[in-house]
Amino acid sequence: AQSVAQPEDQVNVAEGNPLTVKCTYSVSGNPYLFWYVQYPNRGLQFLLKYITGDNLVKGSYGFEAEFNKSQTSFHLKKPSALVSDSALYFCAVRDKNRDDKIIFGKGTRLHILP
Amino acid sequence: DSGVTQTPKHLITATGQRVTLRCSPRSGDLSVYWYQQSLDQGLQFLIQYYNGEERAKGNILERFSAQQFPDLHSELNLSSLELGDSALYFCASSVERAGRRTDTQYFGPGTRLTVL
């Protein structure tokens, strides 16, 4: 069965420092991977996705994610964190060989400290 | 603004009641998804409709049902409500043509349901 794990409930980073939000997945075939962000009292917003091709995917607001097939990971990164990046981040996976369900991780709360 | 609209924004009701949540997808999107977000369960996929027909089912209770109308808007019906149904309910839409599983989902702002 497909699954996605975000091992950290919360990540604290000082403003200006690089940030990483971790995500690992499990699918039977090739994965389609997504990152979404949720600000307080808002719906989820799409950040980026990996379908195929270059392992480094660039997305909105300066975020990027690296697909690592051997480690089954898709960590979200940003070189220099902003206080406004503080939010809840969700990793999601879809197995291209299964039905259309997309599975979301439990979310990681990112706190950027001024 | 994602282009997906949901009404109402907030809903407060009592146990045993029935409510209907409404979603209008982005213009041109054929697929609508419903999710439930609660503190202890995270984001749970409930059901997907594609061009009026049910396409995928997740952890949707039998007390819950949904439909997608010819104009592509969707409604989620929740009946015999329990305290544990209190949550944020999100609708998302995508283009999702047949065979294209890579399409991004765009989320609405959600409906916050409180069952007292």
Side-chain angles (χ1 to χ4, degrees), chain B residues 4 6 23 25 31-35 90-94 105-108:
Chain B
V4 178
Q6 289 186 250
C23 168
S31 268
V32 169
Y33 307 78
W34 286 98
Y35 294 88
F90 288 107
C91 164
S93 74
S94 72
Q105 293 182 26
Y106 293 89
F107 283 75

Side-chain angles (χ1 to χ4, degrees), chain B residues 18-106:
Chain B
R18 173 190 169 94
V19 297
T20 298
L21 313 184
R22 182 187 168 103
C23 168
S24 292
R26 292 188 321 156
S27 177
D29 284 359
L30 299 178
S31 268
V32 169
Y33 307 78
W34 286 98
Y35 294 88
Q36 179 193 57
Q37 185 180 32
S38 58
L39 283 174
D40 56 344
Q41 293 291 324
L43 193 65
Q44 299 287 322
F45 167 71
L46 295 177
I47 197 165
Q48 179 201 0
Y49 276 81
Y50 173 76
N51 205 20
E53 294 192 1
E54 182 183 308
R55 190 158 194 195
K57 221 166 184 177
N59 302 320
I60 188 166
L61 300 171
E62 285 193 12
R63 300 184 285 109
F64 296 180
S65 65
Q67 54 184 327
Q68 186 179 28
F69 295 86
D71 67 352
L72 300 178
H73 91 272
S74 178
E75 293 180 356
L76 178 68
N77 301 296
L78 315 176
S79 61
S80 303
L81 285 168
E82 302 174 358
L83 295 178
D85 297 328
S86 296
L88 264 172
Y89 290 85
F90 288 107
C91 164
S93 74
S94 72
V95 174
E96 200 76 35
R97 296 185 190 90
R100 279 191 59 174
R101 297 191 175 91
T102 64
D103 291 316
T104 300
Q105 293 182 26
Y106 293 89

